Amino acid sequence: SVARKVIHEHQTFSFMRSGLRHTLRMGGEVLRNVLRFPLQLGDVDVVQLQSSDHYAFWEACVYLRLAKLRGVPVSMRFGGVFNSFYEGSSKATQKRIRHMLTLPDTIVVQSEEWKRYFATITDVNKLHIMPNAVPPPPPIPQRELRPKRVRALFIATSEAKRKGVETVLKAAPGLRAQV
């Protein structure tokens, strides 16, 4: 649908919404990096690319193609919301994405679930799991809807007086009755 294409393009090229000056500066940096990249491949054994969705995917594909043209092996690591990007793309774009996923020598994902997902759109033999190094947070404990006792932490900086700390401290006893 037209709406889906507009949303996709809006997300893909969101860096262009930052104003002409920023867009030109960022475009210049990307162009400089793309032009320098092949020159830096001379003594590289393998290229590892971080990719995700929308613009980040297509930019990584540029570097993927350049490395493959020079015969350098590429490992492509995925994060982000790739599934939303892929599923929200047109059939023609999905076909291009699947083609690009045939080019890396390996594809690294962060979980068994992501491996199962990518296995539906690319060669499962290329897929490798490397879990995120940061452990997930512990589960949120179950709490009563209204605690019996209210605890508050009030942090005041050197700006506290100017920002009205006296007003907050005077109001605090009255707030207790409302909680």
Side-chain angles (χ1 to χ4, degrees):
S1 79
V2 173
R4 187 174 75 194
K5 288 181 182 175
V6 169
I7 290 169
H8 170 72
E9 292 199 9
H10 179 71
Q11 291 171 337
T12 302
F13 300 103
S14 61
F15 72 97
M16 294 178 148
R17 292 178 308 180
S18 302
L20 181 61
R21 186 179 191 179
H22 177 74
T23 300
L24 291 174
R25 192 178 96 237
M26 296 313 299
E29 284 187 36
V30 169
L31 181 61
R32 184 190 73 207
N33 291 339
V34 167
L35 293 174
R36 288 174 43 193
F37 185 74
L39 304 173
Q40 297 170 335
L41 290 174
D43 57 348
V44 171
D45 294 322
V46 65
V47 170
Q48 191 269 327
L49 297 171
Q50 173 66 34
S51 185
S52 59
D53 47 70
H54 303 287
Y55 176 78
F57 175 78
W58 298 114
E59 182 181 13
C61 288
V62 171
Y63 294 108
L64 169 63
R65 285 239 186 227
L66 290 170
K68 296 309 283 182
L69 284 171
R70 297 287 301 265
V72 179
V74 175
S75 177
M76 203 163 182
R77 184 178 181 275
F78 281 88
V81 289
F82 181 85
N83 55 338
S84 297
F85 161 61
Y86 179 77
E87 292 164 15
S89 297
S90 69
K91 296 292 180 200
T93 301
Q94 287 180 354
K95 184 177 179 180
R96 285 191 285 279
I97 292 168
R98 285 192 309 273
H99 171 71
M100 293 308 294
L101 293 176
T102 67
L103 301 179
D105 298 275
T106 62
I107 296 174
V108 177
V109 294
Q110 294 182 342
S111 68
E112 190 64 45
E113 182 179 344
W114 276 112
K115 183 176 181 179
R116 282 192 301 275
Y117 181 82
F118 273 86
T120 66
I121 57 175
T122 194
D123 181 5
V124 69
N125 296 314
K126 289 184 174 209
L127 301 174
H128 303 278
I129 300 171
M130 184 180 297
N132 196 339
V134 179
I140 298 172
Q142 295 293 332
R143 295 194 172 128
E144 297 177 30
L145 290 178
R146 239 161 133 85
K148 293 180 178 91
R149 192 171 137 210
V150 176
R151 288 187 219 157
L153 173 63
F154 179 75
I155 300 173
T157 66
S158 61
E159 293 288 307
K161 187 169 182 82
R162 184 179 69 79
K163 292 191 175 197
V165 68
E166 289 91 1
T167 305
V168 173
L169 292 174
K170 283 179 190 172
L175 294 174
R176 179 184 276 292
Q178 295 179 22
V179 177

